[in-house]
Amino acid sequence: MKHLKTALFFTLTFLTTAVFAEDISVVSPESVGLSSPRLENISTLIRSHVAEKKIAGAVVLVARHGKIAYFEPFGEADIGKPMQKDTMFRIASMTKPLVTVAILQLYEEGKLLLSDPVAKYIPEFARPKVLEMLPPGSNPTFRLVPAKREITVKDLLRHTAGLPYNFAADWYPKNRLYRQMYELYQDAGISSGLYETAGTIGEMVKRLARLPLARQPGEVFEYGMAADVQGYLVEVVSGMKLDDYLRERLFKPLKMNDTYFFMPVSEKPRLSALWKTNWHGKLDKVSDGLHQEGAYTYSPSYQYAGTKTFLSGGVGVTSTAYDYFRFCQMLLNKGELEGVRILSRKTVELMTETNHIGALNATTLHDDGWKFGLGVAIEADRAHNVDSGSVGTFEWAGIFSTRFSVDPKEQKITLFLSQTHPFNYHFELWDKLLVLSSSSIAD
Amino acid sequence: MKPAKNLPYPFLSLRNIGQLLVALCLFWSDGSYATAPRIAPQMFGEERKADIIAYEIAPLVTTNQTDGGLAIAILSAAFNASGQKLIIDIVPAKPLAKYALLNNDVVAMIGESQDISAKEKNQFLAEAFYLKIGRHFYFKPNWKSAFPWQSSLTDLKGLRYGGLSGTEQLTYKAAGIQTQEGDVRGLFEKLRNQELDFIGVPDLVAEFWINKAYPKEQQEFVSVNGIAWEQPLYIFFAKTNPRSQELYKAFVTGLDKIIKNGKYQEALEKVYGRQQLPADFISRLQRYRANTR
C-alpha cells in the first residue's frame, strides 16, 4: 500500500510537471536575438552561488520578443527538494506593481483620479501632520506640523506620501526620525505584512492614517507602507476585497493561475522554503512563525498560517516565475496579453515611461539616476552603478530576494526568484544578473 | 518682450502695451491657481478640537466601538453625571497622546502611571478611574502535564514569564522566574511558539486579542485562576491648562456619582458579565483613588 501511494505521488508529480513543461514553450535564444553561450553565464553565476551556499536555489527566466528563451531552476526549494520551474515564491514587494495596476484600472474607469486626495476615500487621512524631530533631550522628542498639502493617490503610487517601513530604522540606524516612526508604528500595531497579522488591512490603514507622516507630501521618495494604503484604496473604490479584485481583474484574465494572497493548503508543498544566509557558506532554513531582528519582523508562514485576513497590498502575494512573466509581458505589450487588455497603452506609458518624482531619485534598491514611474523604478540614464543595459528599463523587487526587470527597448524581461534573507547581500547578485542578461543580447 | 517693428526702441506698440498689462495683472493676481485650488480643507469637514486625549488600548479604549470601549464609556459617564459633554479623541499611539498633553493641545490625557515621569508628576492632577485586571495565561498544547500553578508564583520557579512593557516584573524575578517584556501580539505569539511558558495580560485585552488573532485556538489559551496583578488607568489633567481645575472637580464628582448610583457597576457588568468580574473591583479602585490624593 505504501509503495502504491509513493508510486501514485511520483506519477502525479511527474504528470503535473509534464503538463507544466508542455504548456510553457522555451524557444532557442538565437531565435529571439539572444546568445545561448552568453545566457549560460547566468547558469554559471547562479550555480556558483548555490555551490557556495550563498543561496539554496533560484529560478531565473529571460524572455525576449514575447518568448521565453531561458528558464532554469537551480538548487533546492526545500531540504531535499529540488527547485522546480513552477516552485512558488513569496514575491513580497513585487506585489506592489500588481496593486498599482489595480489602482490604474480604477483610474481608467473614472473611479478615481491620481490627483485625488487619499482622504476623499479614506477620511482618516484628512489634515495630515508631519513629524519633525527636536534636538536630543527635548521633551517631547518631536513636534507635529501641519502637512503642506494632503497626500494624493499619486503620492502613494510613487512613494512620496511620507510613509516609510518600520524597518527603515535598521536601514538608517543613526536617523532619529526613523526610530521615532518605528516606535509609533509599534505602538499603533502597524504591520509591514511580512508576518501573520490579525485583523484587516482596512483596520490597519485607518490607524496608519492617524499617525504623522515622516515627510512633507511630495518632497521625499520614501519607500514603504504606501502600497498597503493603495491596497485598501482598491477595496474602498471597487467595493471588493483586494484578493477578490486582483483575482478577478488581473490574475484570471492574465491566466496567472498560481498566484494567490493566501495559497490553498493543497499548493503549500510547492512553496519554496525561506533561507537565512550569511553569504559566506552558512545557510539555514528559517522556521515558521515570527522572527524579530532589530526593527525587522518577518515570518516564512505568513501566507499560509494565522487568521489569513490581512491582505497586504505591499507584500502579500505568492507567485511563480511563469505567472509573473505573464504580468511583465502584459506591461511590455503596453497593457495587453494574448488578446486580453488589462490597461490602455496610454496608462502603461504613464506607469512605466513617465518620471513622476522629478529631481528625486528612487534610491531604494537602485542608485541615484533611477527614477520612479507608478509602482516601478525606471532607469533614466546609464551613468550610474546599477545598469540594466537600457534607458527606460523598469523594475522592482521583493525583500525575500525576488526581482524583475523589463527592458522595453530590447523587448526583454529578466526574472529572478529566490527566497533568501537578508536581502542586502543580493544587490551584488542582482546587479551581475542584469549585466549578464543585457550582455546576452546578440543582435 | 521684443520692441515692435518699425518703432525705435524703447517705444512699444499698443498691442505690446496690452500684453504687458495682461502679464502684470496675472503677476499681481492673488494665488497661483488657474481656477480654485483642487484640494481645500473644507472638503473634509470641520476639524473638531478634542478636550481629552487617549491612546488605543483595545478593547478598553478603542475607535472600533461606538462608545470608545469600556474605559471611555466610564469616563464619559462620569463627565456626563457632572453635566460636562467633552470631546475625547483616541489616537493609535501613546507618544501622540503624550505629545498633545505636553503641548497643551488638550486638557487631559488617559493613561497609566508609567506614562508620566517622576519629573513631570507635579504638572498634572491625576485621578484613577478604572483598573486593568491582569491574569496569567498559558497555552495548553505546550503542557503535556498540568500547568504547575497552585497558589503562589514560587510554584512557577524556573519558568519563562512574559509581561507587557513597563509592567512590574520584580516579583517574578524574586520567585526565580525568567522574565521578558513585549507587546500583546509578541507575548501571545511567543507563548504559542513555546518561547514563553506563561504571560500576564489584562483580562479583557487578552480575551479581545485571542478572539481576533487565534479564533480557532480560543480554548487552547487558558487563564490561571486568580488575579495576577492590577493596574489603574488614570486621567491626567494638565495644571497649566485654565480649564483643568474645573474639569478635574467635575470628573471626581461625576465619578463618585456613578459609583454611588450603580451606573459604574452596570457598565462593568455589561462588558464582563457577572461571572468574571472581581467582586471587590470598585473597592480596589477606591484604594487607588485615595492614594492619588
Side-chain angles (χ1 to χ4, degrees), chain A residues 115 117 119-120 126-127 129 139-140 142-144 150 184 186-188 195 198-199 203 207 210-212 290 307, chain B residues 39 41 43-47 63 89-96 99 102 120 183 185 189 193 209 212-213 215:
Chain A
S115 56
K120 186 173 170 185
R127 300 182 199 87
K129 298 272 194 315
N139 185 24
F142 58 83
R143 67 175 183 155
L144 301 178
E150 298 281 324
L184 290 173
Q186 283 295 101
D187 229 36
Y195 50 88
E203 289 166 5
R207 290 198 300 275
R210 302 212 58 213
L211 295 178
L290 214 60
T307 54
Chain B
I39 304 169
M43 289 166 73
F44 307 109
E46 199 182 318
E47 190 170 15
T63 51
D89 190 15
I90 301 169
V91 290
K94 191 186 289 187
L96 297 180
Y99 172 84
L102 293 178
E120 293 166 340
D183 58 14
R185 175 183 62 82
E189 201 59 22
N193 293 342
W209 189 256
K212 185 178 178 183

Side-chain angles (χ1 to χ4, degrees), chain A residues 254-379:
Chain A
L254 286 179
K255 295 180 186 161
M256 294 168 71
N257 298 326
D258 290 322
T259 303
Y260 302 98
F261 262 93
F262 297 107
M263 53 178 24
V265 179
S266 58
E267 297 285 21
K268 199 189 147 206
R270 289 175 56 198
L271 180 68
S272 170
L274 179 65
W275 309 82
K276 186 171 179 177
T277 179
N278 71 352
W279 217 241
H280 295 289
K282 186 167 164 40
L283 191 65
D284 298 307
K285 180 178 168 178
V286 181
S287 60
D288 280 3
L290 214 60
H291 296 264
Q292 178 86 44
E293 294 173 8
Y296 179 55
T297 308
Y298 68 104
S299 162
S301 42
Y302 75 104
Q303 277 148 329
Y304 53 83
T307 54
K308 299 187 196 173
T309 50
F310 189 81
L311 302 165
S312 166
V315 298
V317 168
T318 47
S319 189
T320 61
Y322 180 66
D323 272 13
Y324 212 86
F325 153 72
R326 293 183 67 82
F327 173 71
C328 293
Q329 191 63 53
M330 176 274 291
L331 291 176
L332 190 52
N333 295 350
K334 307 272 177 170
E336 176 271 336
L337 185 70
E338 294 166 1
V340 177
R341 181 154 291 284
I342 301 294
L343 285 176
S344 70
R345 174 171 64 85
K346 298 309 292 180
T347 301
V348 174
E349 286 168 2
L350 190 69
M351 175 184 175
T352 64
E353 294 179 19
T354 313
N355 172 29
H356 288 278
I357 60 170
L360 301 175
N361 287 297
T363 46
T364 314
L365 294 185
H366 292 92
D367 203 347
D368 288 347
W370 278 75
K371 297 296 177 182
F372 211 79
L374 300 173
V376 290
I378 303 170
E379 183 166 1

